[in-house]
Amino acid sequence: MNNQRSFFFNVDWLTVLLYLALCTIGWFNIHAAVFDENHRSIFDMDTQYGKQFIYIMSALVIGTVILLLESRFLSALAPVFYVVTVLLLLVVLVAGRNVGGNQAWIDMGGGFRLQPSEFAKFATCLLLARYLSATNVKVTDPKSFLIAGGIIFLPMLLIKMQPDDGSTLVFCSLILVLYREGLSVYFLIIIGLLVALFISALLVSVWYIIIAIIIIAALLLFMFGRNRKFATGVIIGLVVAIGFVFVAKPLYLHGLKPHQRVRIDEVLGLSKDLRGVGYNQNQSKIAIGSGRVWGKGYLQGTQTKYAFVPEQSTDFIFCTVGEEWGFAGSVVVLGLYLFLLLRIIVIAERQRAPFSRIYGYGVASIIFCHVIINIAMAIGYMPVIGIPLPFISYGGSSLWSFTILLFILLKLDSNRMGLSTDRF
């Protein structure tokens, strides 16, 4: 009886409602994106929208099962989940199916495929939370930092070998979890500055950048140079920054594959190929722009109806929202994501157990990264790297993995009053 009361009264139903709203929006937009006059019913199982309905129903079953599990079971089996997903990532490298240039799928038969990289996200979050919540583990300790980094890096490496650059990049977002657990903000600032220097080295002359770096360093030394430790840090930073600027372009030219460089060049404006590599994003921007304020109406989008945008039910599903629902509909979708992310952070912060709090921030980091990259990709501010929009893009693996990711947090939260403040 107590378990039933816990299930019905302690679950954060507002978050569940947000989840259902996004899944429903996704289902209808998939229907619009790949609508077939010969298969008009949204329940037609011969279509993507019919299959998405099955994925949503099965995701609800998965979510319900998770809510009925014992919370400590999730923590205890975190290493098992992690090892299983790593093994699946190894299997997919050997016997996986190649789709769109990525050997990332395991064929399950009957037209269904499984993408292990999607499930590696929740497994990595669980193990990372278990490790960081262990006694005497502090992310500021070099050994702890390296082990935590290794937990994140191993699935990243295997996914990169597929190669799936989008999913690889998503794992980098877990550095925000380390920041919440005590990693210095200077670490994030350094990463941000290196990214800025890298992009600048591709856009302007190296010598202009070096002059700017020297001027900034000179100003800092002039204002704060009396602090010997600070001055030493500025000089070391100056040397590192100049060295990085010199190697940035060679790294770009020789470290990335030609198709990756072409996509980045397109986004940075270094090249324009609207009939080639820039076609998808250009058509996506046309579709979003044509929706104006209120959109063209459900199933009325011309860019959508005549299939001008490739991969519109997956990578570019947001352009369907923009064309048929307009700016107003796009704001609603973005508002739902913002509300969901804020809700996840609230849930994470109210946890009594460090394991649950750390896991909650992992969930927020991964969903945030997916939303930002996918939408930036659709409007031309990031290269096309092929990651889904959470709960909205077509696909069983994606929907199931995000459902597992979110509902594990809901389960941990529903049982928080019964957990001690001790670490798991």
Side-chain angles (χ1 to χ4, degrees), residues 115-134:
Q115 189 175 10
S117 60
E118 291 293 333
F119 299 96
K121 295 167 188 174
F122 85 83
T124 302
C125 284
L126 280 174
L127 187 61
L128 185 65
R130 173 168 170 146
Y131 174 70
L132 291 177
S133 63

Side-chain angles (χ1 to χ4, degrees), residues 88-155:
L88 287 173
L89 290 172
L90 290 170
V91 169
V92 85
L93 290 174
V94 177
R97 180 176 177 181
N98 193 298
V99 177
N102 295 336
Q103 189 164 320
W105 303 85
I106 296 175
D107 201 333
M108 305 297 290
F112 291 92
R113 302 191 299 264
L114 191 70
Q115 189 175 10
S117 60
E118 291 293 333
F119 299 96
K121 295 167 188 174
F122 85 83
T124 302
C125 284
L126 280 174
L127 187 61
L128 185 65
R130 173 168 170 146
Y131 174 70
L132 291 177
S133 63
T135 306
N136 298 325
V137 171
K138 294 183 178 180
V139 75
T140 51
D141 177 63
K143 180 181 177 182
S144 299
F145 177 77
L146 288 174
I147 293 175
I151 291 171
I152 300 170
F153 181 74
L154 178 56

Side-chain angles (χ1 to χ4, degrees), residues 13-298:
W13 292 107
L14 179 56
T15 303
V16 174
L17 184 62
L18 291 169
Y19 163 81
L20 292 173
L22 288 168
C23 288
T24 303
I25 288 170
W27 183 33
F28 279 94
N29 276 279
I30 292 167
H31 182 233
V34 293
F35 180 71
D36 186 345
E37 289 286 353
N38 297 319
H39 301 273
R40 300 183 66 88
S41 172
I42 198 170
F43 297 100
D44 193 318
M45 297 304 156
D46 292 327
T47 64
Q48 284 189 357
Y49 34 93
K51 290 179 181 178
Q52 188 70 8
F53 175 73
I54 296 175
Y55 296 150
I56 292 172
M57 292 299 103
S58 56
L60 291 175
V61 172
I62 292 171
T64 302
V65 170
I66 291 172
L67 292 177
L68 293 172
L69 292 175
E70 170 60 44
S71 293
R72 295 187 184 276
F73 167 84
L74 298 170
S75 174
L77 289 185
V80 176
F81 293 142
Y82 186 83
V83 170
V84 169
T85 54
V86 166
L87 290 175
L88 287 173
L89 290 172
L90 290 170
V91 169
V92 85
L93 290 174
V94 177
R97 180 176 177 181
N98 193 298
V99 177
N102 295 336
Q103 189 164 320
W105 303 85
I106 296 175
D107 201 333
M108 305 297 290
F112 291 92
R113 302 191 299 264
L114 191 70
Q115 189 175 10
S117 60
E118 291 293 333
F119 299 96
K121 295 167 188 174
F122 85 83
T124 302
C125 284
L126 280 174
L127 187 61
L128 185 65
R130 173 168 170 146
Y131 174 70
L132 291 177
S133 63
T135 306
N136 298 325
V137 171
K138 294 183 178 180
V139 75
T140 51
D141 177 63
K143 180 181 177 182
S144 299
F145 177 77
L146 288 174
I147 293 175
I151 291 171
I152 300 170
F153 181 74
L154 178 56
M156 277 182 65
L157 176 63
L158 296 175
I159 293 169
K160 176 62 179 174
M161 293 170 64
Q162 294 178 359
D164 183 350
D165 297 322
S167 294
T168 302
L169 185 59
V170 166
F171 278 81
C172 295
S173 69
L174 292 177
I175 193 173
L176 297 175
V177 178
L178 304 185
Y179 167 69
R180 171 60 182 82
E181 293 306 305
L183 185 66
S184 173
V185 68
Y186 292 113
F187 192 86
L188 298 180
I189 292 173
I190 290 170
I191 292 176
L193 289 174
L194 289 176
V195 171
L197 285 175
F198 183 83
I199 295 174
S200 299
L202 301 180
L203 296 174
V204 299
S205 169
V206 168
W207 298 109
Y208 289 145
I209 301 172
I210 291 175
I211 291 171
I213 293 171
I214 292 173
I215 291 173
I216 293 171
L219 288 172
L220 290 173
L221 289 172
F222 177 75
M223 292 186 292
F224 309 105
R226 292 181 180 179
N227 185 322
R228 184 173 296 179
K229 186 177 180 180
F230 181 83
T232 303
V234 169
I235 293 171
I236 293 173
L238 174 66
V239 174
V240 172
I242 292 175
F244 182 76
V245 168
F246 274 115
V247 302
K249 199 154 190 176
L251 281 174
Y252 177 70
L253 294 174
H254 304 292
L256 297 179
K257 295 180 180 179
H259 74 276
Q260 294 171 326
R261 294 199 304 270
V262 169
R263 290 175 179 176
I264 295 174
D265 288 347
E266 188 75 23
V267 171
L268 295 178
L270 298 174
S271 66
K272 286 293 178 185
D273 184 10
L274 299 183
R275 294 181 179 273
V277 69
Y279 176 82
N280 290 13
Q281 284 187 322
N282 186 55
Q283 293 298 323
S284 176
K285 289 188 287 185
I286 290 172
I288 293 171
S290 67
R292 299 192 177 184
V293 177
W294 302 109
K296 297 177 180 177
Y298 185 56

